[in-house]
């Protein structure tokens, strides 16, 4: 029950070594998670005779799945951040309370999402851009995903806590397991059992359930400094902890919710100006871009416990150092994404489909969408830093600015001006550029404030405390 296993190295070990130790497993896990989603798209895109329409149907489900992700991050990210800081403060009993709270809140939000989705499935999917041709595929896939949503929420939430509590390798291993098992089960359910797109959803939920079982076993071990108690009474919601946790998770929640809203309008505009195949093209492009975004998120996951712990321990020089170095690596990743998008667009898109029209639409979209992609990595890391330090308002503002303030108006202004779906694709680099400028201004201000603090000082000078 003591704190002998607490990862105090977060406050003493060199930052470069910590980034390797915590970010590399996170990168592998998030890359695997991205591939996990891509596997479904690749197999679904090659279903005989209906591949293009099934990919479009899958793309229609993205906004709804983003809502699910948003609810999961609202609970999970806040809990993981709080636990990192509490461990830095050596407040282990409260850290365990936060863990119990997360389990209860994830189950509640997961079941509520399932109920709402199943009751109003068709109107929701049509609102997100489904046509008569793509609705059956979207419905088949999303029904299974919705039924297993509580499992998904709980698995991803607890996986974040595993990482935040000093065991990034286990978090990575569980993610890798879900990826490889999904890659094996997908073709069995889709082709061998002839279940089509519905089989892909069943494989997805089943793999997450298996990983969740192991994660629960891990946290039920009473010998671990962070564990779940056997008494159900302790899983009653502590509203103060819930409020603090949800406040920290509000930034990424709103970012994901904004993403859902924006994808909804993107789908509607693409359907209007380019038809079902334009939505399918966006589905492919989204999966490719998602790979690089998830790698950056892996760096963010590595930075989160390091920054959170050291901020809690009032070691501000280490907070600055881990931010600067993480931002540099993230920029390199998004630069590689730019290279792939601009020079390898066609062969990359061909992995997902054999349809020449869909290949052409997706390749052109990928090239136009990622013209300024290198600046996205820095923006993501900066937003995550504000979240790690509990600076909720700035984190929320940065999360929302790119998508709602800049991207959303562009996707309605540019297509009519250009009289083409091309206007939708060009909306992304314009909004990315504006958002990056604002992010840079706020980042410089934060670094200056951190620079005025000496290690051990009260952080109230920053105007925000965790």
């Amino acid at each position: 029950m003591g704190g002998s296993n607490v990862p105090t190295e977060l406050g003493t070990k060199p930052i470069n070594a910590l980034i390797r130790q915590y970010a590399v497993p996170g990168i592998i896990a998030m890359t695997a998670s991205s591939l996990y989603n891509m596997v479904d798209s690749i197999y679904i895109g090659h279903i005989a005779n209906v591949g293009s329409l099934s990919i479009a149907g899958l793309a229609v489900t993205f906004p709804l799945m983003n809502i699910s992700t948003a609810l999961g991050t609202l609970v999970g990210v806040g809990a993981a951040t709080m636990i990192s800081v509490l461990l830095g403060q050596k407040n282990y009993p409260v850290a365990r309370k936060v863990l119990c709270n997360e389990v209860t809140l994830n189950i509640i939000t997961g079941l509520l999402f399932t109920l709402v989705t199943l009751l109003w499935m068709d109107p929701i999917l049509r609102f997100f851009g489904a046509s008569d041709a793509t609705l059956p595929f979207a419905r088949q896939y999303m029904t299974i995903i919705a039924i297993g949503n509580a499992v998904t929420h709980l698995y991803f939430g607890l996986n974040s806590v595993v990482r935040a509590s000093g065991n990034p390798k286990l978090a990575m291993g569980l993610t890798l397991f879900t990826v490889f098992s999904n890659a094996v089960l997908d073709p069995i359910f889709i082709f061998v059992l002839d279940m089509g797109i519905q089989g892909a959803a069943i494989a997805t939920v089943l793999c997450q359930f298996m990983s969740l079982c192991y994660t629960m076993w891990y946290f039920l071990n009473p010998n671990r400094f962070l564990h779940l108690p056997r008494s159900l009474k302790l899983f009653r919601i502590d509203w103060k902890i819930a409020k603090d946790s949800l406040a920290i998770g509000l930034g990424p929640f709103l970012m994901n919710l904004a993403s859902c809203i924006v994808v909804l309008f993107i789908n509607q505009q693409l359907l209007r100006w380019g038809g079902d195949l334009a939505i399918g093209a966006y589905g492919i492009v989204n999966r490719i871009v998602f790979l690089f975004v998830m790698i950056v998120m892996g760096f963010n996951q590595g930075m989160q416990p390091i920054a959170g712990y050291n901020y809690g321990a009032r070691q501000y020089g280490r907070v600055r150092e881990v931010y600067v170095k993480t931002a540099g690596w993230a920029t390199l990743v998004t630069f590689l994404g730019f290279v792939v998008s601009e020079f390898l667009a066609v062969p990359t898109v061909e992995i997902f489909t054999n349809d020449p029209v869909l290949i052409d639409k997706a390749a052109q979209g990928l090239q136009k969408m990622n013209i300024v992609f290198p600046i996205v990595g820095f923006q993501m890391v900066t937003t995550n830093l504000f979240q790690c330090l509990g600076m909720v308002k700035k984190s929320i503002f940065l999360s929302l600015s790119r998508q709602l303030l800049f991207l959303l108006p562009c996707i309605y202004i540019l297509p009519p001006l250009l009289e083409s779906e091309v206007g939708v694709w060009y909306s992304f680099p314009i909004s990315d550029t504006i958002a990056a400028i604002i992010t840079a201004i706020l980042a410089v201000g934060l670094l200056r404030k951190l620079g005025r603090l000496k290690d051990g000082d009260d952080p109230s000078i920053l105007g925000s405390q965790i």
Side-chain angles (χ1 to χ4, degrees):
M1 297 293 290
S4 59
N5 294 324
V6 176
T8 53
E9 64 182 10
L10 288 169
T12 58
K13 199 170 183 177
I15 293 297
N16 284 332
L18 284 173
I19 290 177
R20 288 194 298 270
Q21 181 178 342
Y22 281 81
V24 170
I27 292 164
I28 294 173
M30 297 307 287
T31 303
S33 180
S34 176
L35 294 174
Y36 180 77
N37 292 316
M38 291 175 71
V39 165
D40 278 356
S41 298
I42 291 169
Y43 282 125
I44 289 169
H46 289 87
I47 295 176
N49 300 323
V50 294
S52 298
L53 287 176
S54 62
I55 275 204
L58 182 63
V60 167
T61 68
F62 290 169
L64 192 52
M65 293 174 72
N66 279 342
I67 293 178
S68 173
T69 301
L71 291 170
T73 55
L74 177 63
V75 178
V77 171
T81 300
M82 284 186 71
I83 286 172
S84 290
V85 175
L86 288 166
L87 293 180
Q89 297 169 343
K90 297 181 171 53
N91 193 345
Y92 313 129
V94 176
R96 286 190 283 269
K97 286 185 180 180
V98 173
L99 177 60
C100 292
N101 250 48
E102 184 192 15
V103 170
T104 304
L105 288 173
N106 265 318
I107 293 173
I108 292 173
T109 55
L111 291 177
L112 286 175
F113 177 85
T114 297
L115 180 63
V116 171
T117 302
L118 293 179
L119 286 176
W120 292 284
M121 176 76 71
D122 282 13
I124 290 173
L125 291 174
R126 285 195 178 277
F127 185 62
F128 288 153
S131 66
D132 289 339
T134 59
L135 180 62
F137 299 105
R139 184 196 303 122
Q140 289 173 28
Y141 186 81
M142 200 61 220
T143 298
I144 301 299
I145 295 297
I147 291 172
N149 190 67
V151 170
T152 302
H153 273 207
L154 198 52
Y155 162 63
F156 282 113
L158 290 178
N159 191 267
S160 296
V161 175
V162 170
R163 184 181 305 104
S165 62
N167 203 337
K169 290 184 179 179
L170 176 59
M172 174 191 71
L174 288 167
T175 303
L176 288 175
F177 171 79
T178 60
V179 173
F180 291 127
S181 58
N182 189 51
V184 172
L185 292 179
D186 255 350
I188 294 175
F189 281 102
I190 293 173
F191 300 112
V192 177
L193 299 179
D194 196 27
M195 299 181 72
I197 193 171
Q198 196 172 31
I202 293 173
T204 295
V205 174
L206 182 58
C207 295
Q208 292 171 351
F209 177 74
M210 290 188 288
S211 290
L212 175 61
C213 288
Y214 184 88
T215 307
M216 290 298 294
W217 173 83
Y218 171 85
F219 277 117
L220 286 170
N221 185 346
N223 294 322
R224 302 187 188 282
F225 69 92
L226 186 65
H227 64 269
L228 292 169
R230 301 298 174 94
S231 174
L232 293 178
K233 292 181 180 179
L234 297 175
F235 286 88
R236 292 175 181 171
I237 295 177
D238 183 316
W239 292 108
K240 183 182 185 308
I241 291 176
K243 179 182 177 182
D244 291 342
S245 174
L246 295 176
I248 294 172
L250 190 60
F253 166 74
L254 291 175
M255 181 175 65
N256 279 286
L257 188 62
S259 176
C260 161
I261 295 171
V262 170
V263 171
L264 157 66
F265 292 119
I266 288 172
N267 281 349
Q268 290 180 348
Q269 286 294 85
L270 288 173
L271 184 64
R272 176 182 177 185
W273 295 94
D276 286 326
L277 287 188
I279 294 180
Y282 179 63
I284 292 173
V285 169
N286 212 14
R287 290 305 195 205
I288 296 168
V289 173
F290 198 57
L291 173 61
F292 296 98
V293 168
M294 292 296 271
I295 295 173
V296 174
M297 289 180 68
F299 274 108
N300 277 343
Q301 287 186 351
M303 181 181 77
Q304 183 265 325
I306 304 170
Y309 184 100
N310 283 284
Y311 189 70
R314 300 186 178 184
Q315 299 187 90
Y316 308 111
R318 292 173 64 81
V319 175
R320 292 196 307 272
E321 184 181 356
V322 71
Y323 163 67
V324 171
K325 290 179 176 177
T326 304
W329 283 109
T331 301
L332 177 60
V333 170
T334 48
F335 176 76
L336 292 175
F338 165 80
V339 172
V340 170
S341 300
E342 301 306 316
F343 304 106
L344 299 170
V346 172
T348 304
V349 168
E350 286 177 338
I351 297 172
F352 294 86
T353 179
N354 297 322
D355 187 318
V357 177
L358 185 56
I359 290 171
D360 181 64
K361 283 181 175 290
Q364 288 192 42
L366 184 62
Q367 290 175 327
K368 293 176 174 61
M369 180 175 175
N370 286 343
I371 295 173
V372 298
F373 197 52
I375 64 178
V376 172
F378 150 77
Q379 184 192 9
M380 290 178 62
V381 171
T382 305
T383 301
N384 184 63
L385 178 68
F386 282 111
Q387 172 199 310
C388 290
L389 304 187
M391 299 177 184
V392 179
K393 292 181 180 179
K394 289 181 180 178
S395 175
I396 292 173
F397 173 73
L398 291 177
S399 298
L400 297 181
S401 61
R402 172 187 174 269
Q403 300 186 86
L404 291 185
L405 297 182
F406 310 130
L407 180 57
L408 194 56
C410 285
I411 62 176
Y412 275 91
I413 294 172
L414 294 182
L417 289 178
L418 300 177
E419 297 182 348
S420 167
E421 67 199 74
V422 169
V424 176
W425 300 118
Y426 278 129
S427 300
F428 289 91
I430 292 173
S431 59
D432 285 338
T433 301
I434 300 172
I437 293 171
I438 294 174
T439 300
I441 294 171
L442 291 179
V444 169
L446 176 61
L447 290 176
R448 286 177 176 172
K449 288 181 178 180
L450 286 172
R452 292 201 300 267
L453 289 171
K454 296 179 181 179
D455 288 354
D457 284 350
D458 190 307
S460 60
I461 189 176
L462 296 179
S464 177
Q465 296 187 50
I466 294 179

